Amino acid sequence: MKNPYLPLPMKLVKNFTETEDKLIHTFTLQYLSEEDEKSFPYMPGQFAELCVFGKGEAPFGIASSPTEPGFLKFSVAKVGVVSTALHMMEEGSTVGVRGPLGNYYPVEELKGKNLVIIGGGFAFTTLRSLATYMMDPVRRGDYGDLTVIYGARNPGLLLYKEELAAWEQNPDINLVTTIDRAVDGWNGRVGFIPAVTEEVAPNAENSYAIICGPPVMIKFTMPVLEKLGFPQERIIMSLENRMKCGIGMCGRCNVGGKYVCKDGPVFTRAQLNELPNEY
Ligand SMILES: Cc1cc2nc3c(=O)[nH]c(=O)nc-3n(C[C@H](O)[C@H](O)[C@H](O)COP(=O)(O)OP(=O)(O)OC[C@H]3O[C@@H](n4cnc5c(N)ncnc54)[C@H](O)[C@@H]3O)c2cc1C
Ligand code: FES
């Protein structure tokens, strides 16, 4: 059995400055062999611990999709020791990857359903993975209408601009991007995500909402989804509690009787309602 504490060495092939403020970099990591790739079977919503030798490790959501073979993608905000060390790494260096960890978005349960994916700021990483997975030509027919509502403070802070541009042209996905305040040259919507979600008014019938973002965005979007008729069992969220081991051993991440690293990070609103409000 695989040792869950042993990181997989991967080659950093691209260290890309994703946002205008330079605080988010996206890393493309390549497997060193086919065996290594087979040893890392992941699904959208899962995360991994990225290890920088001599600095430490930290958990990050996997932004690539299993439908994109050969590499893993992570988008990392520069906030502390590990993320800063990652930002400074040269292409060609080795990064340790421990995972895949946690549960994932319920892609089987979502088959035949309409999906509304709602993301705010840089918490769009695993949502990118999910949307890319569903947009794969082999899988697209398994899912109903796909709407993505994605917002950031300004256009320069939106992640994955290439994908967004491609989705904008694709009739198989309804992409709605929004920024907080109007700026010259912006043709998308202007307004906060809760208001834009209310305007777009996705039909709740046979639909699931999957939402990731800053707590304030979630707080104000939740009543909108409820008003639109989404039941709590069909609102899915991903938590980012502080973690250490990532495998249910150290107790750092627990909320009530649940380990966010192992039982989550993906939960329905109905499941979270059963837990103490410590997330
Ligand atoms: C499941 C999961 C997925 C994540 N996905 C991503 C991702 O895709 N991209 C990304 O940029 N970050 C993500 N994070 C958050 C990331 O793990 C933390 O920001 C981590 O602290 C970065 O490590 P560091 O060594 O750079 O920071 P540290 O030096 O450990 O900390 C820097 C500062 O951030 C604070 N901090 C540490 N962890 C958290 C936390 N979880 N919440 C709030 N404050 C914290 C510390 O108190 C300190 O002030 C994720 C976290 C989890 C649990
Ligand atoms: S991080 Fe150690 S138990 Fe969850």
Side-chain angles (χ1 to χ4, degrees):
M1 211 180 80
K2 193 167 138 182
N3 178 348
Y5 291 106
L6 204 61
L8 188 70
M10 290 187 74
K11 186 174 167 185
L12 173 63
V13 290
K14 194 167 175 194
N15 178 348
F16 173 71
T17 306
E18 187 76 54
T19 50
E20 215 168 71
D21 62 5
K22 299 189 171 48
L23 286 179
I24 315 264
H25 281 203
T26 294
F27 301 94
T28 307
L29 306 179
Q30 203 175 57
Y31 298 101
L32 299 188
S33 69
E34 269 179 41
E35 256 99 82
D36 281 0
E37 182 161 9
K38 280 193 200 124
S39 76
F40 201 96
Y42 72 98
M43 292 297 283
Q46 288 194 286
F47 67 98
E49 293 273 348
L50 294 188
C51 321
V52 181
F53 305 112
K55 295 293 179 188
E57 59 175 15
F60 298 99
I62 305 174
S64 51
S65 155
T67 54
E68 301 172 303
F71 66 90
L72 293 175
K73 209 172 193 170
F74 297 89
S75 295
V76 173
K78 188 173 162 186
V79 294
V81 179
V82 175
S83 52
T84 301
L86 279 166
H87 274 231
M88 288 166 61
M89 278 181 104
E90 307 248 333
E91 292 173 357
S93 315
T94 302
V95 177
V97 182
R98 204 154 63 71
L101 302 172
N103 68 352
Y104 47 90
Y105 295 118
V107 291
E108 285 302 314
E109 187 184 328
L110 297 177
K111 282 186 177 168
K113 306 290 192 297
N114 302 317
L115 283 315
V116 185
I117 290 176
I118 305 172
F122 74 89
F124 195 60
T125 55
T126 61
L127 296 181
R128 180 219 176 262
S129 175
L130 181 65
T132 304
Y133 180 89
M134 290 176 166
M135 287 297 287
D136 183 62
V138 175
R139 289 179 176 75
R140 184 63 191 91
D142 291 341
Y143 303 97
D145 294 343
L146 182 55
T147 299
V148 173
I149 301 171
Y150 176 37
R153 279 204 313 276
N154 63 58
L157 299 184
L158 288 167
L159 307 184
Y160 316 129
K161 293 183 184 65
E162 265 180 38
E163 275 97 335
L164 297 182
W167 292 348
E168 211 143 39
Q169 303 300 322
N170 191 329
D172 270 346
I173 183 167
N174 173 25
L175 174 69
V176 180
T177 46
T178 182
I179 56 167
D180 290 359
R181 262 171 234 95
V183 291
D184 287 345
W186 174 252
N187 299 320
R189 298 202 185 216
V190 176
F192 296 122
I193 291 194
V196 171
T197 305
E198 196 158 6
E199 269 168 45
V200 173
N203 189 343
E205 210 183 307
N206 195 36
S207 300
Y208 275 69
I210 299 145
I211 178 165
C212 269
V216 66
M217 172 206 124
I218 296 195
K219 182 176 168 203
F220 290 106
T221 308
M222 218 44 84
V224 174
L225 291 173
E226 281 161 23
K227 201 167 127 191
L228 290 168
F230 283 85
Q232 310 263 305
E233 308 74 49
R234 286 199 265 120
I235 300 176
I236 296 171
M237 297 164 61
S238 181
L239 300 186
E240 285 200 0
N241 281 46
R242 294 202 185 184
M243 292 182 186
K244 199 159 181 65
C245 70
I247 53 173
M249 299 299 282
C250 72
R252 176 83 190 260
C253 67
N254 67 304
V255 176
K258 298 278 183 201
Y259 292 111
V260 175
C261 67
K262 211 170 108 194
D263 303 309
V266 175
F267 295 94
T268 64
R269 183 73 238 175
Q271 286 169 326
L272 292 179
N273 288 344
E274 303 294 311
L275 298 176
N277 192 7
E278 296 161 359
Y279 46 86

